[in-house]
Amino acid sequence: MKPNVILIDPSLRSADGHHLGVLERFRTELARLWLGSISLTSVHASDELNRQADLIPTFEKSIYYRTEWTREEFYEGASKFCGDLRSKLRELRVRPDILIFPAADQATVLGLAQYLDRHGRRRPPDILLWLMMAPHYRKSIDDPSVAPLLDEYAEAFDALRRTVADDTRIHVCCETEAMSAAYRPYVGLPIETVIVHKLIERPRERRIRRPGQPIRLVCAGNANAAKGYSLLGDAIERLNRERSDLEFLIHGTVEQTDYPEGRQELQRLAGLAPNVTVRTDILSTEEYLAWLAQADLLLQPYDPQAYRTRGSGVFAEAVKLGIPVVATKGCDFSRAAIEQGRAVGVEAFSAEGLARAVGIAADHLDEISARATRFAEKAGADKNLETLLARTVAAAERPRGWLDRKLKRYLGVRVPGIAALP
């Protein structure tokens, strides 16, 4: 019998950003393993999106729900997640064999532990979860004020490990090495670095500019506060005063963000100059990849405090397509690319710093483009996600005998494939 797979993302409430695209990537890879899945997402998604994307509204709170950052708020979020999950699984009459969390936080981990402790089966499910952001989504993970929130992660994972009682069934992932290293002491488990991006089979055909054609600089994604959209207007004005060979294609969705000024900022950009084109609509996967593929350079002037350890789906997809990037220094996701000369680093998180970096990238475009293309071709297909899912499905399908369970539970004897009790 095939295992029941449930995808859980309480933050998926719209088609903006990368939450939906990541969910679709999981579905694609599961389908390759001849598995279907159920997707439990936010109750705040529209009925139209739920129908179109086959989502089941379940959760009241997302990983962005916190405002007070107190211990009480942490426990409240965990309890609400547990209750929402219990109610929906009882309604659906489904017992999960594999649970996948594309974006988890400390409250969802503790809430999962509470659910399994109160309502789980004798055999626990296999669990895959991604820690995508720092404990406080607006602060760096090494900010001193974040320390109590890291303790919340330690408490949540301690509870989950006690409840599951088998560490081999819990798989924790991050998208950057820096974030994996930062969380490891609090999680108490190995953390793999596995990037989940939109499915890209091969690099794009390298764009060849004809004589006189401008250099295309592209932005894409959700125009939230940490993405640096506020720097673009002044940077573009500076660049337009200095040179006439640039074209700016700016995409940013503004409906589901933490940046109320984003709409006005993009309106300002739309009227800034003839060489600036702005889009604020939601792009399908095909439209989004086509938008990226026309770039000579991708612009990512991200706030290095917020993105010090966070990954970037847009960056990962640009790398797979072979597109060079201008990105702020201090963001772990772009560090290797900058060091290897297939990206240009923005030294200072400011309009002046961004303009200077764009000028350098434009002047050396052929060199960095060639490096980006070679890297994409050499890297080939990223199989880390496929391998992880295949391994997890195989483990979920493997029978566990009565004797194995008794040995593990009562004697603490290590049986191959089953972790001994701590």
Side-chain angles (χ1 to χ4, degrees), residues 129-178:
L129 55 87
W130 269 255
L131 305 179
M132 301 294 290
M133 297 186 296
H136 190 306
Y137 56 83
R138 292 181 178 174
K139 295 183 179 181
S140 170
I141 204 166
D142 57 0
D143 187 307
S145 68
V146 168
L149 305 182
L150 286 167
D151 291 338
E152 293 176 356
Y153 273 89
E155 179 178 343
F157 274 97
D158 183 60
L160 183 62
R161 293 174 66 194
R162 284 199 315 271
T163 300
V164 174
D166 184 349
D167 283 355
T168 66
R169 290 194 173 275
I170 306 172
H171 311 273
V172 186
C173 304
C174 293
E175 290 199 333
T176 69
E177 293 288 351

Short mmCIF file of all heavy atoms in Angstrom, two decimals, residues 129-178:
data_model
loop_
_atom_site.label_atom_id
_atom_site.label_comp_id
_atom_site.label_asym_id
_atom_site.label_seq_id
_atom_site.Cartn_x
_atom_site.Cartn_y
_atom_site.Cartn_z
N LEU A 129 10.98 18.50 7.14
CA LEU A 129 10.63 19.90 7.36
C LEU A 129 11.81 20.81 7.03
O LEU A 129 12.96 20.46 7.24
CB LEU A 129 10.11 20.13 8.77
CG LEU A 129 10.94 19.70 9.98
CD1 LEU A 129 11.90 20.80 10.38
CD2 LEU A 129 10.01 19.38 11.13
N TRP A 130 11.45 21.94 6.46
CA TRP A 130 12.42 22.96 6.06
C TRP A 130 12.31 24.15 7.00
O TRP A 130 11.22 24.70 7.21
CB TRP A 130 12.14 23.43 4.63
CG TRP A 130 12.88 22.65 3.60
CD1 TRP A 130 13.98 23.03 2.88
CD2 TRP A 130 12.55 21.32 3.13
NE1 TRP A 130 14.36 22.04 2.02
CE2 TRP A 130 13.51 20.97 2.16
CE3 TRP A 130 11.56 20.40 3.46
CZ2 TRP A 130 13.50 19.75 1.51
CZ3 TRP A 130 11.54 19.18 2.82
CH2 TRP A 130 12.50 18.86 1.85
N LEU A 131 13.45 24.56 7.57
CA LEU A 131 13.54 25.80 8.33
C LEU A 131 14.04 26.86 7.37
O LEU A 131 15.21 26.86 6.97
CB LEU A 131 14.50 25.62 9.51
CG LEU A 131 14.18 24.46 10.45
CD1 LEU A 131 15.22 24.38 11.56
CD2 LEU A 131 12.78 24.57 11.02
N MET A 132 13.16 27.75 6.97
CA MET A 132 13.45 28.67 5.86
C MET A 132 13.98 30.03 6.30
O MET A 132 14.62 30.73 5.53
CB MET A 132 12.18 28.88 5.03
CG MET A 132 11.60 27.62 4.45
SD MET A 132 12.68 26.86 3.22
CE MET A 132 12.54 28.06 1.91
N MET A 133 13.67 30.40 7.56
CA MET A 133 13.99 31.76 7.99
C MET A 133 14.59 31.74 9.37
O MET A 133 14.54 30.73 10.08
CB MET A 133 12.74 32.64 7.96
CG MET A 133 12.15 32.80 6.57
SD MET A 133 10.78 33.97 6.56
CE MET A 133 9.61 33.12 7.59
N ALA A 134 15.15 32.88 9.77
CA ALA A 134 15.61 33.04 11.13
C ALA A 134 14.41 32.99 12.07
O ALA A 134 13.27 33.18 11.65
CB ALA A 134 16.36 34.36 11.28
N PRO A 135 14.63 32.74 13.38
CA PRO A 135 13.50 32.62 14.32
C PRO A 135 12.58 33.85 14.32
O PRO A 135 11.38 33.72 14.48
CB PRO A 135 14.18 32.45 15.67
CG PRO A 135 15.49 31.83 15.35
CD PRO A 135 15.91 32.42 14.04
N HIS A 136 13.16 35.03 14.14
CA HIS A 136 12.39 36.26 13.96
C HIS A 136 12.57 36.65 12.50
O HIS A 136 13.67 36.95 12.05
CB HIS A 136 12.92 37.36 14.88
CG HIS A 136 12.07 38.59 14.96
ND1 HIS A 136 11.66 39.30 13.84
CD2 HIS A 136 11.54 39.25 16.03
CE1 HIS A 136 10.94 40.32 14.22
NE2 HIS A 136 10.84 40.32 15.52
N TYR A 137 11.48 36.63 11.73
CA TYR A 137 11.61 36.75 10.28
C TYR A 137 12.06 38.13 9.81
O TYR A 137 12.34 38.32 8.63
CB TYR A 137 10.30 36.36 9.58
CG TYR A 137 9.07 37.13 10.00
CD1 TYR A 137 8.78 38.37 9.47
CD2 TYR A 137 8.19 36.59 10.93
CE1 TYR A 137 7.65 39.07 9.84
CE2 TYR A 137 7.05 37.28 11.32
CZ TYR A 137 6.78 38.51 10.77
OH TYR A 137 5.66 39.20 11.16
N ARG A 138 12.19 39.10 10.75
CA ARG A 138 12.69 40.42 10.36
C ARG A 138 14.07 40.71 10.92
O ARG A 138 14.57 41.83 10.79
CB ARG A 138 11.71 41.50 10.84
CG ARG A 138 10.38 41.47 10.09
CD ARG A 138 9.46 42.57 10.57
NE ARG A 138 8.20 42.57 9.83
CZ ARG A 138 7.17 43.34 10.11
NH1 ARG A 138 7.24 44.18 11.14
NH2 ARG A 138 6.06 43.29 9.40
N LYS A 139 14.70 39.71 11.56
CA LYS A 139 16.00 39.93 12.18
C LYS A 139 16.99 38.86 11.74
O LYS A 139 16.61 37.76 11.34
CB LYS A 139 15.89 39.93 13.70
CG LYS A 139 15.05 41.07 14.27
CD LYS A 139 15.04 41.03 15.79
CE LYS A 139 14.24 42.18 16.37
NZ LYS A 139 14.24 42.17 17.85
N SER A 140 18.26 39.18 11.89
CA SER A 140 19.31 38.21 11.61
C SER A 140 19.32 37.15 12.70
O SER A 140 18.99 37.43 13.86
CB SER A 140 20.66 38.90 11.54
OG SER A 140 21.71 37.96 11.49
N ILE A 141 19.73 35.95 12.35
CA ILE A 141 19.72 34.86 13.31
C ILE A 141 20.74 35.06 14.43
O ILE A 141 20.63 34.47 15.51
CB ILE A 141 19.98 33.52 12.56
CG1 ILE A 141 19.40 32.35 13.38
CG2 ILE A 141 21.44 33.31 12.27
CD1 ILE A 141 19.30 31.07 12.58
N ASP A 142 21.76 35.92 14.20
CA ASP A 142 22.76 36.15 15.24
C ASP A 142 22.50 37.44 16.02
O ASP A 142 23.33 37.87 16.82
CB ASP A 142 24.17 36.18 14.65
CG ASP A 142 24.34 37.22 13.55
OD1 ASP A 142 23.37 37.93 13.23
OD2 ASP A 142 25.45 37.29 12.98
N ASP A 143 21.34 38.05 15.81
CA ASP A 143 20.94 39.20 16.61
C ASP A 143 20.77 38.74 18.07
O ASP A 143 20.08 37.75 18.33
CB ASP A 143 19.63 39.77 16.07
CG ASP A 143 19.22 41.08 16.73
OD1 ASP A 143 19.16 41.12 17.98
OD2 ASP A 143 18.93 42.04 16.01
N PRO A 144 21.39 39.41 19.04
CA PRO A 144 21.29 38.96 20.44
C PRO A 144 19.85 38.82 20.94
O PRO A 144 19.57 37.95 21.78
CB PRO A 144 22.04 40.05 21.21
CG PRO A 144 23.00 40.63 20.22
CD PRO A 144 22.29 40.57 18.90
N SER A 145 18.95 39.65 20.43
CA SER A 145 17.56 39.59 20.90
C SER A 145 16.84 38.33 20.44
O SER A 145 15.74 38.02 20.91
CB SER A 145 16.79 40.82 20.43
OG SER A 145 16.63 40.81 19.01
N VAL A 146 17.44 37.59 19.50
CA VAL A 146 16.82 36.38 18.94
C VAL A 146 17.09 35.16 19.82
O VAL A 146 16.43 34.13 19.67
CB VAL A 146 17.32 36.17 17.49
CG1 VAL A 146 16.94 34.80 16.96
CG2 VAL A 146 16.75 37.26 16.58
N ALA A 147 18.03 35.24 20.74
CA ALA A 147 18.43 34.08 21.54
C ALA A 147 17.25 33.36 22.21
O ALA A 147 17.18 32.12 22.16
CB ALA A 147 19.47 34.50 22.58
N PRO A 148 16.30 34.08 22.84
CA PRO A 148 15.16 33.35 23.44
C PRO A 148 14.33 32.59 22.42
O PRO A 148 13.72 31.56 22.75
CB PRO A 148 14.34 34.47 24.10
CG PRO A 148 15.31 35.60 24.30
CD PRO A 148 16.24 35.52 23.14
N LEU A 149 14.29 33.07 21.18
CA LEU A 149 13.52 32.38 20.14
C LEU A 149 14.24 31.11 19.70
O LEU A 149 13.59 30.12 19.33
CB LEU A 149 13.29 33.32 18.96
CG LEU A 149 12.64 34.66 19.29
CD1 LEU A 149 12.42 35.49 18.03
CD2 LEU A 149 11.31 34.46 20.02
N LEU A 150 15.57 31.12 19.71
CA LEU A 150 16.31 29.89 19.43
C LEU A 150 16.05 28.85 20.50
O LEU A 150 15.97 27.65 20.23
CB LEU A 150 17.80 30.20 19.32
CG LEU A 150 18.24 30.91 18.04
CD1 LEU A 150 19.66 31.44 18.18
CD2 LEU A 150 18.14 29.99 16.83
N ASP A 151 15.88 29.30 21.74
CA ASP A 151 15.51 28.37 22.81
C ASP A 151 14.15 27.74 22.55
O ASP A 151 13.90 26.58 22.93
CB ASP A 151 15.51 29.08 24.16
CG ASP A 151 16.90 29.48 24.63
OD1 ASP A 151 17.89 28.87 24.16
OD2 ASP A 151 17.02 30.42 25.44
N GLU A 152 13.26 28.48 21.90
CA GLU A 152 11.97 27.90 21.52
C GLU A 152 12.16 26.75 20.54
O GLU A 152 11.46 25.73 20.62
CB GLU A 152 11.07 28.97 20.90
CG GLU A 152 10.64 30.06 21.86
CD GLU A 152 9.83 31.16 21.19
OE1 GLU A 152 9.67 31.12 19.95
OE2 GLU A 152 9.36 32.07 21.90
N TYR A 153 13.08 26.91 19.59
CA TYR A 153 13.38 25.81 18.67
C TYR A 153 13.89 24.59 19.41
O TYR A 153 13.51 23.45 19.11
CB TYR A 153 14.39 26.26 17.62
CG TYR A 153 13.76 26.91 16.42
CD1 TYR A 153 13.52 28.28 16.40
CD2 TYR A 153 13.39 26.17 15.31
CE1 TYR A 153 12.92 28.89 15.30
CE2 TYR A 153 12.79 26.77 14.21
CZ TYR A 153 12.56 28.12 14.21
OH TYR A 153 11.96 28.72 13.13
N ALA A 154 14.78 24.81 20.40
CA ALA A 154 15.30 23.69 21.18
C ALA A 154 14.16 22.96 21.90
O ALA A 154 14.11 21.72 21.91
CB ALA A 154 16.34 24.20 22.18
N GLU A 155 13.25 23.71 22.50
CA GLU A 155 12.12 23.10 23.19
C GLU A 155 11.22 22.35 22.22
O GLU A 155 10.76 21.22 22.50
CB GLU A 155 11.32 24.18 23.92
CG GLU A 155 10.10 23.64 24.66
CD GLU A 155 9.34 24.72 25.41
OE1 GLU A 155 9.91 25.82 25.63
OE2 GLU A 155 8.17 24.47 25.77
N ALA A 156 10.96 22.95 21.06
CA ALA A 156 10.06 22.32 20.09
C ALA A 156 10.64 21.01 19.56
O ALA A 156 9.94 19.99 19.49
CB ALA A 156 9.79 23.29 18.93
N PHE A 157 11.90 21.02 19.19
CA PHE A 157 12.50 19.80 18.64
C PHE A 157 12.71 18.74 19.72
O PHE A 157 12.63 17.54 19.43
CB PHE A 157 13.79 20.12 17.91
CG PHE A 157 13.58 20.52 16.49
CD1 PHE A 157 13.52 21.86 16.12
CD2 PHE A 157 13.39 19.56 15.50
CE1 PHE A 157 13.28 22.23 14.81
CE2 PHE A 157 13.15 19.92 14.19
CZ PHE A 157 13.11 21.26 13.84
N ASP A 158 12.99 19.15 20.93
CA ASP A 158 13.09 18.19 22.02
C ASP A 158 11.75 17.46 22.19
O ASP A 158 11.71 16.24 22.35
CB ASP A 158 13.50 18.89 23.31
CG ASP A 158 13.69 17.93 24.46
OD1 ASP A 158 14.55 17.03 24.34
OD2 ASP A 158 12.99 18.06 25.48
N ALA A 159 10.66 18.22 22.13
CA ALA A 159 9.34 17.61 22.26
C ALA A 159 9.04 16.68 21.08
O ALA A 159 8.50 15.58 21.27
CB ALA A 159 8.28 18.71 22.35
N LEU A 160 9.39 17.10 19.87
CA LEU A 160 9.13 16.27 18.69
C LEU A 160 9.93 14.98 18.75
O LEU A 160 9.41 13.89 18.46
CB LEU A 160 9.46 17.06 17.42
CG LEU A 160 9.18 16.34 16.10
CD1 LEU A 160 7.69 16.03 15.96
CD2 LEU A 160 9.66 17.17 14.92
N ARG A 161 11.19 15.07 19.13
CA ARG A 161 12.04 13.86 19.19
C ARG A 161 11.55 12.89 20.26
O ARG A 161 11.57 11.68 20.06
CB ARG A 161 13.49 14.26 19.43
CG ARG A 161 14.12 15.03 18.26
CD ARG A 161 15.50 15.52 18.62
NE ARG A 161 16.42 14.40 18.80
CZ ARG A 161 17.62 14.50 19.38
NH1 ARG A 161 18.01 15.68 19.86
NH2 ARG A 161 18.40 13.45 19.49
N ARG A 162 11.11 13.41 21.40
CA ARG A 162 10.58 12.54 22.45
C ARG A 162 9.31 11.83 21.96
O ARG A 162 9.13 10.63 22.21
CB ARG A 162 10.24 13.35 23.70
CG ARG A 162 11.44 13.75 24.53
CD ARG A 162 11.00 14.13 25.96
NE ARG A 162 9.83 14.98 25.99
CZ ARG A 162 9.86 16.31 25.96
NH1 ARG A 162 11.04 16.94 25.87
NH2 ARG A 162 8.76 17.02 26.00
N THR A 163 8.47 12.55 21.27
CA THR A 163 7.20 11.98 20.82
C THR A 163 7.40 10.93 19.74
O THR A 163 6.81 9.85 19.77
CB THR A 163 6.27 13.10 20.30
OG1 THR A 163 6.03 14.03 21.36
CG2 THR A 163 4.95 12.53 19.81
N VAL A 164 8.25 11.24 18.76
CA VAL A 164 8.50 10.30 17.66
C VAL A 164 9.33 9.12 18.14
O VAL A 164 9.15 7.98 17.70
CB VAL A 164 9.19 11.03 16.49
CG1 VAL A 164 9.60 10.06 15.39
CG2 VAL A 164 8.25 12.10 15.92
N ALA A 165 10.28 9.39 19.05
CA ALA A 165 11.13 8.35 19.64
C ALA A 165 11.93 7.58 18.61
O ALA A 165 12.28 6.42 18.80
CB ALA A 165 10.29 7.39 20.48
N ASP A 166 12.23 8.22 17.49
CA ASP A 166 13.02 7.59 16.43
C ASP A 166 13.56 8.70 15.54
O ASP A 166 12.88 9.19 14.64
CB ASP A 166 12.15 6.63 15.62
CG ASP A 166 12.94 5.87 14.55
OD1 ASP A 166 14.11 6.24 14.31
OD2 ASP A 166 12.38 4.92 13.96
N ASP A 167 14.80 9.12 15.81
CA ASP A 167 15.37 10.25 15.08
C ASP A 167 15.47 10.00 13.58
O ASP A 167 15.51 10.95 12.79
CB ASP A 167 16.76 10.58 15.62
CG ASP A 167 16.71 11.33 16.95
OD1 ASP A 167 15.59 11.68 17.39
OD2 ASP A 167 17.78 11.56 17.54
N THR A 168 15.53 8.74 13.16
CA THR A 168 15.67 8.46 11.73
C THR A 168 14.41 8.84 10.96
O THR A 168 14.43 8.87 9.73
CB THR A 168 15.98 6.98 11.49
OG1 THR A 168 14.87 6.17 11.88
CG2 THR A 168 17.23 6.55 12.25
N ARG A 169 13.32 9.11 11.68
CA ARG A 169 12.07 9.48 10.99
C ARG A 169 11.88 10.98 10.89
O ARG A 169 10.86 11.44 10.37
CB ARG A 169 10.87 8.85 11.71
CG ARG A 169 10.82 7.33 11.54
CD ARG A 169 9.47 6.79 11.96
NE ARG A 169 9.38 5.37 11.65
CZ ARG A 169 9.01 4.88 10.45
NH1 ARG A 169 8.71 5.71 9.47
NH2 ARG A 169 8.96 3.59 10.25
N ILE A 170 12.83 11.75 11.39
CA ILE A 170 12.73 13.21 11.34
C ILE A 170 13.87 13.74 10.48
O ILE A 170 15.04 13.54 10.80
CB ILE A 170 12.82 13.83 12.74
CG1 ILE A 170 11.78 13.21 13.68
CG2 ILE A 170 12.61 15.35 12.66
CD1 ILE A 170 11.93 13.64 15.13
N HIS A 171 13.54 14.41 9.38
CA HIS A 171 14.53 14.94 8.45
C HIS A 171 14.40 16.46 8.41
O HIS A 171 13.34 16.97 8.04
CB HIS A 171 14.33 14.36 7.05
CG HIS A 171 14.18 12.87 7.03
ND1 HIS A 171 15.25 12.02 6.96
CD2 HIS A 171 13.07 12.09 7.12
CE1 HIS A 171 14.82 10.76 6.98
NE2 HIS A 171 13.50 10.78 7.09
N VAL A 172 15.44 17.15 8.80
CA VAL A 172 15.40 18.61 8.88
C VAL A 172 16.31 19.18 7.80
O VAL A 172 17.44 18.71 7.60
CB VAL A 172 15.87 19.10 10.27
CG1 VAL A 172 15.69 20.62 10.38
CG2 VAL A 172 15.09 18.38 11.37
N CYS A 173 15.82 20.20 7.11
CA CYS A 173 16.56 20.80 6.00
C CYS A 173 16.54 22.32 6.11
O CYS A 173 15.61 22.91 6.66
CB CYS A 173 15.97 20.40 4.65
SG CYS A 173 15.86 18.63 4.38
N CYS A 174 17.58 22.95 5.58
CA CYS A 174 17.63 24.39 5.33
C CYS A 174 18.13 24.60 3.92
O CYS A 174 18.62 23.66 3.28
CB CYS A 174 18.57 25.09 6.32
SG CYS A 174 18.02 25.11 8.04
N GLU A 175 18.03 25.84 3.44
CA GLU A 175 18.46 26.12 2.07
C GLU A 175 19.85 26.74 1.99
O GLU A 175 20.36 26.92 0.89
CB GLU A 175 17.44 27.01 1.37
CG GLU A 175 16.14 26.30 1.09
CD GLU A 175 15.29 26.98 0.02
OE1 GLU A 175 15.41 28.21 -0.14
OE2 GLU A 175 14.53 26.28 -0.65
N THR A 176 20.44 27.08 3.11
CA THR A 176 21.81 27.61 3.10
C THR A 176 22.63 26.92 4.17
O THR A 176 22.10 26.48 5.21
CB THR A 176 21.85 29.13 3.35
OG1 THR A 176 21.48 29.40 4.71
CG2 THR A 176 20.93 29.89 2.39
N GLU A 177 23.93 26.85 3.94
CA GLU A 177 24.83 26.24 4.91
C GLU A 177 24.85 27.06 6.20
O GLU A 177 24.93 26.52 7.30
CB GLU A 177 26.24 26.15 4.32
CG GLU A 177 26.37 25.18 3.16
CD GLU A 177 26.30 23.73 3.59
OE1 GLU A 177 26.31 23.47 4.82
OE2 GLU A 177 26.20 22.85 2.71
N ALA A 178 24.80 28.38 6.06
CA ALA A 178 24.86 29.24 7.24
C ALA A 178 23.66 29.01 8.16
O ALA A 178 23.80 28.96 9.39
CB ALA A 178 24.92 30.71 6.82
#
